[in-house]
Amino acid sequence: MAVSVDEAVSTGPARDHTAPARRPGGRGRSVLEVALLTVLAVVMLFPVLWMIETSIKENRDVYAIPAKLFDFTVTLEHYKDVFVASDGGRSALSVSFLNSVVVAGASTVLATVLGVPAAWAYSRFAVKAKKDQLFFILSTRFMPPVVVVIPIFLMYRQVGLIDNKLGLILIYTAFNVPFTIWMMKGFVDEVPAEYEDAAMLDGYTRLQAFWRYTLPLLVPGIAATAVFALIFSWNEFVFATFLTSSDSVRTAPPAIAGLIGGTTTDWGLVAAASVVFALPVLVFAYLVRKHLIAGVTLGAVRR
Amino acid sequence: MGTLAAHGLRKSFGKVQALDGVTLDVPDGSFFVVLGPSGAGKTTTLRAIAGLEKLDAGSVHLDGRDATGDAPAARDLAMVFQSYALYPRHTVYENIASPLRARRCSSSEIAAAVEQMSSLLHIERLLQRRPAQLSGGEMQRVALARALVRRPRAFLMDEPLTNLDLKLRVEMRTELTRIHRSIGATFVYVTNDQVEALSMADQVAVLKEGQVQQVGTPTEVYERPANQWVAGFVGSPPISLLACRAEGDRLVGAEGWTLPRPRWTTAEDGRPLLLGLRSEDLSVEQRGSASLSGELYGLEPLGDRTVVDVRVGTEILKVKARPTVTGTPGERLLVTVDLDRAHLFDADTGLSLSEAGR
Ligand SMILES: Nc1ncnc2c1ncn2[C@@H]1O[C@H](COP(=O)(O)OP(=O)(O)O)[C@@H](O)[C@H]1O
Ligand SMILES: [Mg+2]
């Protein structure tokens, strides 16, 4: 999990890495720098490596003492167990993955559809007490989820949204809309309002002008913002744990957490499930990495 | 038809009063120039007429009909933006076609119109490029083409030539005047360049700090500036202003000089005045009845003429002279003044006192 977030966030610093190339001498990184980066990489990546190893080790090797780093027997049993139940049907874990896809996908789409036009409006129009409104919108994110979850739980119980995917979609959307508005407002600010003015004089309405000439310029920003929203919803643990209980509704984070504990823990299964869980976001962040960088450096690139 | 009337436009941005009661009456088919320094409110005025700026007060009438609340698209105006505002993801062709697409013209009509515009403005080669691949002059032509591709009620142009180099600017000035004459449409043209204003306009409105200072033909604005500020802003080198007051039949300068009192002024005795003298109405080469004595301060050779700076007391007079004129700084000089062409302003209000009797 931490991996995918790092992947997404590291695009900022990635841009800074180009700067040292202009150092006097310009002969690449110093030995010390390489050594430090190597240490950092090992420390950061070892748990990931260990997770991947565990997911492909036979159970015997998983519990072996001393731990086997290289000479273990490779098996894909654990991965099969993630998707297929012991009776041959679909496993509870695979259902939870599907739930995660639905919940994260739907809440991201909703947050984008609601947040982008709102960001545009905040950027383009004279809104009364704009700064206060924007601060209020952001302040909804200050509260730690554990603080909010009890009242939400009580309210959801009243309206029958407990143990319901729609409930999770709504709460994730509510969390992602403020983030989307804030991040997208920055992107909209970067697009000169005069394109829309020109389009309106051409004969388009304000909305047509936005749709035809501003929206296409926002695509990189929307992609970047949506990835962050998706990662938030995909990773979310607290609300998912409190608000859902049945296997058919639960998302992957509480489902994977549920594997740990009891008398014995099948670490191979936990590791395999974690790898499968981390993979989509990793791949997604990788696919849109150009947009992510374009997004983070938009101002620098375009001016 | 294309008459355009803006009355009492007021607009503030926070503490800045960008428009402070701007009134303009633009006759049909005229080349109407709004002239003013940067920050005077020229862009805001145009945007208000176009419907892009919500006004605090005032009205906009188009062809006699109140259009104050109309959406920009409903006003049937075309605008060239100071920044050009070409759509960055679209080709030059699509940029020029945009106003026609918005009006659902057929693609054959569009192709014909774009072709006609691009040959008029010599941008045929550029049609498949994107704005980022154009030079400033080319972008400016494309922006013009996008405006000229249809026949709106009027064209609004916001300093379209400001970003061009001098040679291109002079060429485009002639070109625009020619286009205006050939299509006979109403142009509202904003500039901070007084040469542009004087050479292109039928009518000039001089704007300062959101207020119209004077409206008139270029000759009127140059020959009969309504106040000291307009006199100083229009004309190059700038008009020289000398503090003085009227005493009987004489003008007495604060620096001790005296000149005969011009017949045409209504100034009362003793009031603090400013005598405005343009460089071409002064001479160091000819002798006349009225003159000021001073010393040579510097020479600015400009090729076709030389501007001689003459110090009178603590004040500097700019005098136009032949390019062959010579002299050494500090040398005593007699400057002949053509008092019939001089200007007098009230030093307190800045208003012209020359109007009567001329
Ligand atoms: N959108 C805006 N927000 C705040 N101030 C503005 C805005 N537009 C213009 N102004 C201010 O209004 C005044 C007039 O601006 P403008 O019409 O652009 O002048 P000009 O085009 O003559 O240079 C300036 O002081 C400018 O700073
Ligand atoms: Mg301007």
Side-chain angles (χ1 to χ4, degrees):
Chain A
M1 214 16 40
V3 186
S4 57
V5 173
D6 280 351
E7 177 74 8
V9 171
S10 70
T11 50
R15 180 176 134 230
D16 298 338
H17 283 171
T18 55
R22 277 184 279 117
R23 258 184 330 208
R27 270 175 287 103
R29 300 192 163 92
S30 71
V31 178
L32 182 69
E33 213 175 320
V34 171
L36 284 174
L37 282 172
T38 311
V39 171
L40 190 71
V42 168
V43 169
M44 299 292 283
L45 292 177
F46 184 76
V48 180
L49 191 73
W50 195 246
M51 173 179 82
I52 294 169
E53 267 200 13
T54 307
S55 74
I56 55 172
K57 275 180 188 169
E58 287 217 329
N59 266 337
R60 218 172 341 106
D61 296 333
V62 169
Y63 294 102
I65 296 175
K68 294 184 173 178
L69 206 50
F70 299 111
D71 52 342
F72 54 84
T73 323
V74 173
T75 174
L76 291 178
E77 264 313 293
H78 302 309
Y79 284 95
K80 201 188 119 221
D81 291 345
V82 169
F83 294 103
V84 185
S86 45
D87 60 5
R90 280 169 57 185
S91 67
L93 263 181
S94 73
V95 174
S96 76
F97 276 119
L98 208 64
N99 292 338
S100 271
V101 170
V102 171
V103 168
S107 63
T108 301
V109 168
L110 267 178
T112 305
V113 167
L114 294 172
V116 171
W120 173 68
Y122 275 115
S123 174
R124 291 288 188 262
F125 298 101
V127 182
K128 273 214 185 90
K130 187 189 279 190
K131 283 200 177 126
D132 299 323
Q133 287 194 27
L134 283 169
F135 180 79
F136 173 75
I137 288 171
L138 190 68
S139 71
T140 58
R141 292 290 298 254
F142 294 167
M143 229 31 120
V146 269
V147 175
V148 195
V149 74
I150 305 299
I152 297 275
F153 181 88
L154 297 174
M155 286 191 278
Y156 268 30
R157 206 171 50 185
Q158 290 289 317
V159 293
L161 283 171
I162 293 290
D163 205 21
N164 186 332
K165 270 181 269 188
L166 181 63
L168 279 188
I169 291 172
L170 290 179
I171 195 77
Y172 292 171
T173 304
F175 261 74
N176 276 329
V177 164
F179 167 75
T180 305
I181 292 176
W182 265 81
M183 186 150 165
M184 283 312 300
K185 181 173 177 295
F187 286 108
V188 181
D189 286 344
E190 290 290 330
V191 177
E194 285 196 339
Y195 297 149
E196 281 164 41
D197 295 340
M200 285 193 286
L201 279 155
D202 284 352
Y204 293 107
T205 64
R206 165 118 9 215
L207 275 178
Q208 285 172 327
F210 166 69
W211 186 260
R212 269 182 86 89
Y213 292 118
T214 304
L215 195 60
L217 296 170
L218 293 177
V219 167
I222 292 173
T225 310
V227 167
F228 283 112
L230 190 74
I231 289 171
F232 167 82
S233 312
W234 185 258
N235 293 351
E236 207 289 322
F237 180 73
V238 176
F239 285 105
T241 308
F242 275 83
L243 301 180
T244 63
S245 51
S246 61
D247 283 349
S248 63
V249 176
R250 236 174 6 167
T251 53
I256 295 173
L259 297 174
I260 306 173
T263 41
T264 56
T265 298
D266 185 350
W267 288 111
L269 182 63
V270 172
S274 302
V275 171
V276 173
F277 183 67
L279 223 50
V281 175
L282 218 62
V283 168
F284 198 65
Y286 181 78
L287 285 179
V288 300
R289 72 191 183 288
K290 251 193 354 219
H291 282 175
L292 281 176
I293 294 169
V296 174
T297 63
L298 184 73
V301 172
R302 211 164 263 138
R303 290 244 166 105
Chain B
M1 276 296 283
T3 61
L4 212 140
H7 285 264
L9 304 186
R10 297 181 62 82
K11 173 76 187 176
S12 63
F13 297 102
K15 288 201 184 72
V16 181
Q17 190 72 39
L19 301 184
D20 194 2
V22 170
T23 293
L24 301 172
D25 280 291
V26 182
D28 184 32
S30 68
F31 199 113
F32 192 96
V33 171
V34 179
L35 173 68
S38 169
K42 306 182 296 295
T43 298
T44 311
T45 303
L46 271 201
R47 291 175 57 85
I49 293 171
L52 297 172
E53 214 71 73
K54 201 165 171 291
L55 289 165
D56 300 337
S59 68
V60 175
H61 284 74
L62 302 174
D63 287 332
R65 207 183 55 78
D66 189 349
T68 313
D70 288 2
R75 299 190 183 205
D76 190 22
L77 300 167
M79 181 157 168
V80 177
F81 289 78
Q82 194 165 358
S83 64
Y84 307 141
L86 300 177
Y87 311 125
R89 309 241 305 185
H90 292 69
T91 60
V92 167
Y93 184 97
E94 280 307 318
N95 266 281
I96 301 174
S98 179
L100 302 177
R101 291 220 190 284
R103 289 176 167 71
R104 306 198 179 286
C105 295
S106 71
S107 49
S108 58
E109 277 175 280
I110 292 175
V114 173
E115 191 190 341
Q116 195 203 341
M117 268 310 116
S118 53
S119 72
L120 179 72
L121 291 158
H122 312 297
I123 48 174
E124 299 99 326
R125 297 178 299 110
L126 310 176
L127 288 178
Q128 293 316 313
R129 296 212 202 151
R130 280 171 216 284
Q133 300 165 301
L134 303 177
S135 71
E138 290 166 342
M139 281 198 257
Q140 191 263 333
R141 281 159 190 269
V142 175
L144 272 175
R146 181 174 67 187
L148 294 167
V149 73
R150 60 186 197 91
R151 284 289 160 271
R153 203 190 297 268
F155 295 95
L156 312 177
M157 305 198 172
D158 194 357
E159 307 200 23
L161 307 186
T162 304
N163 301 332
L164 306 185
D165 59 53
L166 185 64
K167 181 167 170 292
L168 199 54
R169 202 174 337 153
V170 174
E171 269 173 37
M172 287 306 298
R173 230 184 262 161
T174 328
E175 192 94 333
L176 271 180
T177 316
R178 188 179 60 76
I179 292 172
H180 171 250
R181 232 178 279 124
S182 74
I183 64 179
T186 310
F187 279 47
V188 182
Y189 185 100
V190 158
T191 182
N192 62 20
D193 179 350
Q194 42 111 6
V195 180
E196 242 169 54
L198 297 182
S199 64
M200 297 168 89
D202 298 326
Q203 290 263 299
V204 185
V206 187
L207 201 61
K208 177 204 170 199
E209 288 166 13
Q211 293 180 327
V212 176
Q213 304 294 309
Q214 186 173 4
V215 183
T217 64
T219 320
E220 281 167 352
V221 170
Y222 187 82
E223 302 274 338
R224 292 196 291 283
N227 58 42
Q228 171 203 338
W229 187 86
V230 173
F233 187 69
V234 179
S236 170
I239 197 166
S240 307
L241 293 166
L242 303 181
C244 60
R245 69 202 133 75
E247 272 179 22
D249 57 356
R250 293 180 314 158
L251 278 181
V252 179
E255 301 293 341
W257 48 262
T258 54
L259 285 172
R261 173 183 175 136
R263 277 167 285 114
W264 40 258
T265 181
T266 53
E268 330 157 6
D269 280 12
R271 262 193 98 91
L273 305 174
L274 286 170
L275 177 66
L277 300 167
R278 292 208 187 271
S279 66
E280 66 270 26
D281 302 328
L282 297 170
S283 175
V284 288
E285 294 148 317
Q286 287 159 354
R287 283 286 126 86
S289 53
S291 59
L292 293 169
S293 102
E295 65 181 43
L296 183 67
Y297 191 69
L299 294 172
E300 286 173 62
L302 296 173
D304 60 333
R305 69 204 137 110
T306 290
V307 175
V308 183
D309 289 353
V310 180
R311 204 162 66 128
V312 176
T314 57
E315 294 168 313
I316 303 287
L317 281 182
K318 300 230 172 236
V319 183
K320 189 175 164 182
R322 275 197 298 257
T324 49
V325 76
T326 54
T328 47
E331 173 184 332
R332 302 296 307 172
L333 281 176
L334 219 51
V335 181
T336 306
V337 180
D338 183 352
L339 273 178
D340 285 338
R341 295 184 52 82
H343 306 270
L344 268 181
F345 303 100
D346 186 310
D348 296 327
T349 64
L351 291 178
S352 173
L353 300 170
S354 316
E355 222 55 66
R358 276 233 239 185

